[in-house]
Amino acid sequence: MKQAYSVAHISHGVSVTGGYLHEQFVFNSVCNSLEEQGCRVSKYHFRTNRFFKGLSQLKMVWQGMVHAQSNLNLVSNWMALYAIWRNVFAKRKIVITWHHHDEADVKTTMTRLYMKWLFNILANTRSTHIAIMVVSDYWATYFKSKVSPSVEIVHFPNLFDTTYYQSFKQTKIPKQIYLGQYAFKTDDGIFELAHQLTKQGYSCFFTTLIQSQVGKFDNYEINRFDNHSDYLNKLAQSAYSIAYIKLNEGWNRVAHESILVGTQVIGNNKGGLSDLLKESNSLVAHTVEEFSTIILQNQTASVNPDFIRKYDASNRSIYSKGIIDFIEK
């Protein structure tokens, strides 16, 4: 008889972010790998499709607990504590899909308290049923120093259909600069950079997932694309793609996509982005002046071809193995 597994993806949020896309990719990859091994797989997906504040967070507690009932539960870090509570006396496995962590991103009393509880449990647990999935070496090192040795660290990076992306390569618009996603994680220096570049005749733009943010402003535009292909065309036309972040983020999907469509990336070394920049041999800057100098001098760097191959979607089974090994222990 075939081995049977139930696999769940439990997430929190409203927008189709890079993190959510990655979680779905991991979920589908693990399920497909199990099926390829001859297993019977029952798939379950739950997403809150809203944010919770104040007392309404009690509903998120309930949802995190009631939905984490599969053999393997892939849960976002904001649902992880409740999934762990639900399975204290069960043998179900929990993989926390933790893309990034930064103390500066923990703003409210409730979120600080939540993170304190979660890290306390992860640092002291003896359970071998909990794992943290990371997207880069930086985060593997970070979490190993924060959690109990019984908590497994599994690596599953962002993978892409590189052939698809590279089909968008095209002639550049020399003075078109992509400033990245318009988001809280971006360093405020990006606005001064846009101001300086605009004075030199450059055209700068952000992208957003939120329609209400779209508009034209003094030194930049904020665009939203309904079709991913339209976004990639605009990205591929740009001379540079900027990853100027203030928080330690997980990877940087936008920077990775930029490389794949042939656009030069300039970024600062924070979090997993530092791994991306180093492995791809992309340009590095840390101040507005350094970003500006690279652009005005038209500096370039040759992308490491091993980077393209390493993160191709065809490698999904290699990284799925770590999670499947964790399930079968």
Side-chain angles (χ1 to χ4, degrees):
M1 182 179 293
K2 293 181 178 179
Q3 177 73 45
Y5 289 103
S6 57
V7 182
H9 174 209
I10 304 165
S11 65
H12 168 233
V14 294
S15 299
V16 182
T17 62
Y20 176 71
L21 290 173
H22 178 56
E23 291 170 14
Q24 277 285 282
F25 185 92
V26 173
F27 172 72
N28 290 321
S29 297
V30 170
C31 290
N32 290 342
S33 291
L34 286 169
E35 289 172 340
E36 289 167 2
Q37 292 179 14
C39 301
R40 291 185 293 111
V41 180
S42 175
K43 305 174 186 177
Y44 177 73
H45 175 247
F46 172 78
R47 185 163 172 81
T48 63
N49 288 318
R50 60 166 290 187
F51 292 114
F52 299 88
K53 295 181 179 180
L55 291 177
S56 70
Q57 292 186 69
L58 293 175
K59 187 173 183 179
M60 188 166 71
V61 174
W62 177 81
Q63 290 178 336
M65 295 179 72
V66 77
H67 292 287
Q69 300 186 56
S70 297
N71 298 130
L72 173 67
N73 300 280
L74 296 168
V75 300
S76 68
N77 59 307
W78 292 109
M79 305 287 280
L81 184 60
Y82 317 130
I84 292 170
W85 286 346
R86 173 68 176 79
N87 292 288
V88 167
F89 302 109
K91 294 183 179 180
R92 302 183 187 102
K93 300 295 180 71
I94 297 169
V95 174
I96 306 171
T97 57
W98 210 322
H99 302 288
H100 78 281
H101 181 74
D102 196 309
E103 292 296 333
D105 191 27
V106 182
K107 300 181 179 67
T108 69
T109 300
M110 285 296 292
T111 55
R112 284 195 297 272
L113 185 60
Y114 175 89
M115 281 298 167
K116 182 178 180 179
W117 281 344
L118 180 55
F119 271 107
N120 184 263
I121 287 174
L122 293 174
N124 293 288
T125 184
R126 295 182 180 180
S127 172
T128 57
H129 296 159
I130 304 171
I132 297 175
M133 185 189 74
V134 298
V135 293
S136 69
D137 292 340
Y138 174 93
W139 290 108
T141 301
Y142 177 86
F143 283 113
K144 282 178 182 177
S145 70
K146 295 285 187 180
V147 303
S148 163
S150 66
V151 176
E152 190 160 336
I153 308 296
V154 292
H155 184 206
F156 200 123
N158 285 270
L159 303 179
F160 298 83
D161 180 349
T162 57
T163 300
Y164 168 75
Y165 277 89
Q166 291 178 351
S167 69
F168 286 89
K169 288 185 176 180
Q170 56 191 278
T171 303
K172 303 297 179 187
I173 298 175
K175 289 196 170 186
Q176 179 172 294
I177 308 297
Y178 178 40
L179 300 174
Q181 276 201 333
Y182 187 77
F184 66 92
K185 67 181 180 181
T186 303
D187 192 285
D188 290 342
I190 197 77
F191 300 108
E192 175 58 26
L193 177 62
H195 174 66
Q196 291 187 16
L197 294 175
T198 299
K199 289 195 301 182
Q200 297 295 325
Y202 285 82
S203 174
C204 303
F205 73 99
F206 291 97
T207 56
T208 182
L209 299 172
I210 303 171
Q211 184 60 43
S212 62
Q213 293 179 339
V214 172
K216 292 186 177 181
F217 303 89
D218 288 343
N219 300 307
Y220 56 87
E221 293 183 2
I222 303 178
N223 300 327
R224 181 179 180 274
F225 297 95
D226 291 326
N227 298 312
H228 192 234
S229 58
D230 293 338
Y231 155 71
L232 291 180
N233 275 316
K234 181 86 170 180
L235 176 57
Q237 292 168 356
S238 302
Y240 291 96
S241 177
I242 309 300
Y244 194 0
I245 60 172
K246 65 182 177 182
L247 299 178
N248 289 321
E249 66 176 350
W251 191 240
N252 190 304
R253 187 179 183 89
V254 166
H256 200 140
E257 289 179 318
S258 301
I259 291 168
L260 295 179
V261 300
T263 296
Q264 291 279 319
V265 169
I266 315 171
N268 58 328
N269 285 321
K270 287 188 73 68
L273 177 60
S274 59
D275 289 335
L276 185 154
L277 296 172
K278 181 179 178 180
E279 290 185 39
S280 63
N281 192 44
S282 292
L283 298 161
V284 177
H286 297 97
T287 65
V288 171
E289 289 69 28
E290 289 176 357
F291 278 98
S292 180
T293 296
I294 290 172
I295 294 169
L296 295 178
Q297 293 182 357
N298 197 32
Q299 296 178 27
T300 59
S302 298
V303 174
N304 179 3
D306 290 337
F307 175 84
I308 306 295
R309 290 190 288 267
K310 178 179 179 180
Y311 297 107
D312 187 83
S314 62
N315 296 318
R316 67 178 69 200
S317 61
I318 296 173
Y319 296 104
S320 294
K321 186 177 185 302
I323 296 178
I324 292 173
D325 288 346
F326 171 68
I327 302 172
E328 295 178 339
K329 285 183 177 178

